[in-house]
Amino acid sequence: MIGAVRMVQRNALVYRRVWRGSVFSSFLQPTLFLLAMGLGLGAMVDAGTAVLPGGVSYAEFLAPGLLAAAAMQTAGFESTYPILGKMAWFRNYEAIIATPMRVSDLVLGELAWVAVRLTAIASAFVLVMLGFGIPRSPSVVLAIPAAVLTGLGFAAPIMAYAATRKNSSTFNVLFRFVITPLFLFSGVFFPISRLPEALARAAWLTPLFHGVELVRGLTLGAVPASWPIHIAYLAAMLAAGVALAHHTFRRRL
């Protein structure tokens, strides 16, 4: 694990040049989303006849879903362009692998760094939610590691995919046709029970849905009975992604 820690240290040294802007956006984005969607659109939803699961307000329903989605989106970005840059554009990995560092150190180190970034972003998001009075339970603290697990479930397989690319052109396809549809149809903005039955079943199979259910339950103090399934699903994605990333990194380097 020493090599993985060194990789985290390397990324932290680079990150210290841009951390101020990153921290600012970590608080600004959830604040704007909750003001516009949670309170703005939420006022109209709450005034209607629709009843959300658990009888919560729309802002309370939306915020945990946005937290899980933010983890997915952050993991998606951190696992695409930075990985390709180190692999093909700047050839950082070639220099690193020439030292006693191993491929497994690169993979685990990069995922550990993504976990650090996700923890910071999720913590900022929870603080913003506290400012809006949204969490209903002290278990909201556990929503942070749940969001981190959600992000890592995406980061590992995306990292494996990024290691096979020679340019970034296909990343647009990934974000437009995978990340964005998951953001819209995995229960972030409305219960998937409102979808047609076939689409609801398909949404249940998406990784973001499991992350949303887990984070929402912990935030609102109503953890679903299916929480072991959600954790197992995300952990399986992470494990499979790590194995695949190790293979693609080794083959490329």
Side-chain angles (χ1 to χ4, degrees), residues 45 55 58 97-98 101 108-109 126 142 194 206 208 216-217 227-228:
V45 174
Y58 187 68
I97 210 67
M101 294 273 284
L108 295 178
V126 168
L142 298 178
R194 303 296 175 87
T206 63
L208 182 58
R216 182 172 286 141
W227 67 265

Side-chain angles (χ1 to χ4, degrees), residues 11-194:
N11 288 340
L13 289 172
V14 175
Y15 181 69
R16 69 180 182 177
R17 297 180 179 273
V18 298
W19 70 270
R20 293 177 179 83
S22 178
V23 169
F24 177 74
S25 63
S26 297
F27 285 94
L28 180 63
Q29 184 177 4
T31 300
L32 294 178
F33 256 114
L34 290 177
L35 285 174
M37 302 289 292
L39 300 185
L41 177 62
M44 293 185 286
V45 174
D46 295 338
T49 57
V51 178
L52 293 167
V56 300
S57 68
Y58 187 68
E60 291 173 321
F61 177 85
L62 176 67
L66 288 177
L67 171 54
M72 173 190 70
Q73 292 167 331
T74 300
F77 177 81
E78 294 287 342
S79 303
T80 48
Y81 297 100
I83 299 299
L84 180 60
K86 297 169 193 172
M87 185 74 72
W89 298 335
F90 308 113
R91 298 183 181 275
N92 301 110
Y93 289 147
E94 289 187 10
I96 294 172
I97 210 67
T99 72
M101 294 273 284
R102 301 168 300 174
V103 171
S104 58
D105 297 326
L106 298 182
V107 173
L108 295 178
E110 291 290 6
L111 286 173
W113 174 247
V114 172
V116 171
R117 293 280 293 116
L118 290 172
T119 300
I121 289 171
S123 299
F125 209 116
V126 168
L127 288 175
V128 172
M129 287 197 294
L130 287 171
F132 281 83
I134 288 172
R136 289 189 168 191
S137 169
S139 63
V140 67
V141 175
L142 298 178
I144 296 174
V148 172
L149 177 61
T150 301
L152 290 177
F154 282 92
I158 292 175
M159 186 183 299
Y161 172 73
T164 67
R165 302 294 90 193
K166 294 184 178 180
N167 58 65
S168 62
S169 59
T170 56
F171 291 159
N172 292 330
V173 176
L174 172 67
F175 283 101
R176 290 176 183 175
F177 297 105
V178 178
I179 300 297
T180 298
L182 289 179
F183 179 54
L184 296 175
F185 298 106
S186 295
V188 176
F189 297 100
F190 54 86
I192 64 169
S193 59
R194 303 296 175 87

